[in-house]
Amino acid sequence: MTAITIRDVSESTLEALKIKAAKGGRSLQTYLLDLVTRDARTPSLADMMTRLDRETRSDVSTSDILAAIDEGRQRR
């Protein structure tokens, strides 16, 4: 595996990360590896929008929806 070095991390940031890792019962390295891995697996907003666009297509028009609403109201 490859090692990653992050430079110029402030002491306050490092301390906050150490605390979060400790609260989770993990080492700093394990905590950061989990964080980076989770981020790498999370799709970007653009990818999510593309997927939503692809999977949520509908042939129902606005007028069809409004007609169905009106029909439902008339049945009351």
Side-chain angles (χ1 to χ4, degrees), residues 34-62:
D34 290 346
L35 190 66
V36 170
T37 301
R38 186 173 49 240
D39 187 68
R41 290 180 179 163
T42 302
S44 69
L45 184 56
D47 290 340
M48 289 176 17
M49 294 303 293
T50 299
R51 179 178 171 197
L52 281 171
D53 191 46
R54 183 180 62 243
E55 294 180 5
T56 58
R57 288 287 180 200
S58 175
D59 293 333
V60 179
S61 69
T62 303

Side-chain angles (χ1 to χ4, degrees), residues 8-19:
D8 302 322
V9 177
S10 70
E11 287 297 321
S12 61
T13 299
L14 179 60
E15 191 59 32
L17 291 169
K18 285 180 179 180
I19 290 169

